[in-house]
Amino acid sequence: MNKYNRIFNFAAGPAMLPEEVLEIAKNEMMNYKNSGMSVMELSHRSSLFNDIITEAEDNLRKLLNIPFNYKVLFLQGGATTQFSSVALHLLKNKAAYINTGHWSNRAIIDARVFGQVDVIASSENESFSYIPDCSNLNLEGYDYLYYCDNNTIYGTKFKKVPNSFGIPLVCDMSSCILSEEIDVSKYGIIFAGAQKNIGPSGVTIVIIREDLINESSVYTPNILKYKIHSEKMSLFNTPPTYIIYMCGLVFKYLLNNGGIKAQEKKNIEKANYLYNYLDHSKFYKTMADKNSRSIMNVVFTTGNKELDLLFVEEAKKVGLENLKGHKVIGGLRASIYNAMPFEGVVTLVEFMKKFEVQYNV
Ligand SMILES: Cc1ncc(COP(=O)(O)O)c(C=O)c1O
């Protein structure tokens, strides 16, 4: 048994954090750098917090190789708030959206409040189980192209960045950021809620190309204006200070462990191990198209609702938690984000084998 009796948490978010990060947070909790306070109690205007947020941004820039003409913002309101913010800033005439399921659909609904939104590619015809071909979209006259890179609920992921033919490309990377190397220069805006690969819930990272910052609708409230957040270095109002500190610890941890390249290798190994078992099993079925599979969210089922529920209950008894699929599609889902150790996936597969032997009648 491990030191703290910790379980393997397969939740889609909030998700596991690296134990090394939690240890540092624990050790620094009561008196951060001789301030006589915890980070939670520090003023967001203090030099100590300034160091925390500056270092966090610098390290994120290193991890993702973010070009100088991009700003990094630490915002509140979750990834969901960005569904509106993006449209308020970029939607002038009409916007093109790729619909790959629940989260892109939510973004479409929120953007439509502000103007014309056309769904120019979709996988709705096959219950969002695949990623549509987006190599040659007709984007004439559109202000921007929007997509959700990794579809947390359906376990699908774009294998290629859609070709935006020069218009700004906006991407929701909430459930895959920091999981693989990316070329930030292909994007106008990348945003991601922290609670999967970045840190605890409560902050949303926005990486935005500078030339897109100034534009915004007259109806944009100050709290949503990228310009204000950028000028105030994410300190326009009181930011979630402790969450930013935790994200900073995660960034440092990733840098100290080989950066995104090394993390991507680990993620592929974990996902391959699980998919390989699933592909050889006659008991479990995967739900996403093989060519569109996510390496973060592995969605599968026994094909029987009662057995799926029993699976979740039995798994919990042996320390494998939160394996229930999202209510939108049911079934089972193992979210194996960055902080899930390989050992966690091996333990899951061992449990799956036993369950299969017991219930495969
Ligand atoms: C891909 C994706 N986008 C957006 C969201 C919504 O994020 P938030 O709860 O931070 O608003 C989620 C939440 O799980 C998600 O998985």
Side-chain angles (χ1 to χ4, degrees), residues 12 77-81 83 103 148 150-152 172 174-175 193 195-196 204:
T80 301
T81 299
F83 300 162
W103 293 114
C148 177
N150 184 80
N151 297 281
T152 326
D172 174 358
S174 292
S175 51
Q195 63 270 23
K196 296 147 196 311
T204 307

Side-chain angles (χ1 to χ4, degrees), residues 110-325:
D110 284 354
R112 279 202 172 128
V113 172
F114 306 107
Q116 182 181 335
V117 168
D118 294 343
V119 175
I120 44 111
S122 168
S123 51
E124 193 167 8
N125 62 338
E126 295 279 344
S127 311
F128 302 113
S129 60
Y130 73 102
I131 298 294
D133 176 16
C134 296
S135 53
N136 201 16
L137 303 167
N138 181 0
L139 297 173
E140 223 182 298
Y142 286 105
D143 297 316
Y144 63 96
L145 173 64
Y146 179 103
Y147 78 111
C148 177
D149 198 15
N150 184 80
N151 297 281
T152 326
I153 295 174
Y154 310 87
T156 61
K157 162 86 172 72
F158 281 75
K159 301 293 165 188
K160 261 197 204 156
V161 179
N163 190 347
S164 71
F165 294 99
I167 63 170
L169 182 60
V170 178
C171 184
D172 174 358
M173 286 196 192
S174 292
S175 51
C176 58
I177 195 160
L178 305 179
S179 70
E180 60 170 15
E181 291 187 301
I182 54 166
D183 179 356
V184 173
S185 71
K186 288 189 170 156
Y187 297 88
I189 299 177
I190 293 171
F191 66 87
Q195 63 270 23
K196 296 147 196 311
N197 272 339
I198 301 175
S201 60
V203 78
T204 307
I205 305 272
V206 175
I207 301 168
I208 177 166
R209 213 174 62 210
E210 273 170 354
D211 60 291
L212 301 175
I213 289 177
N214 283 330
E215 310 167 16
S216 85
S217 143
V218 288
Y219 301 110
T220 314
N222 283 339
I223 192 68
L224 297 185
K225 281 185 185 161
Y226 294 137
K227 188 167 189 286
I228 288 186
H229 287 296
S230 167
E231 283 169 359
K232 302 282 182 190
M233 317 280 278
S234 304
L235 298 175
F236 168 56
N237 66 328
T238 317
T241 50
Y242 195 76
I243 309 301
I244 293 170
Y245 157 78
M246 289 296 290
C247 295
L249 292 184
V250 172
F251 299 152
K252 225 184 282 176
Y253 166 83
L254 287 170
L255 279 175
N256 291 339
N257 285 277
I260 302 299
K261 200 184 177 85
Q263 185 61 53
E264 179 173 354
K265 189 167 173 279
K266 285 182 208 162
N267 291 337
I268 291 171
E269 281 166 6
K270 284 184 283 177
N272 282 348
Y273 191 85
L274 184 48
Y275 281 123
N276 188 39
Y277 169 66
L278 284 164
D279 286 341
H280 287 91
S281 160
K282 291 198 169 59
F283 181 65
Y284 302 102
K285 289 160 232 15
T286 51
M287 288 157 89
D289 177 77
K290 257 193 178 179
N291 298 318
S292 306
R293 282 174 170 174
S294 164
I295 59 167
M296 294 283 98
N297 311 98
V298 179
V299 177
F300 58 100
T301 176
T302 63
N304 173 318
K305 261 190 193 169
E306 280 75 41
L307 267 189
D308 282 350
L309 284 177
L310 187 65
F311 181 100
V312 175
E313 273 172 37
E314 295 289 315
K316 189 174 160 65
K317 287 182 194 158
V318 293
L320 304 167
E321 292 205 18
N322 295 314
L323 285 154
K324 193 163 182 249

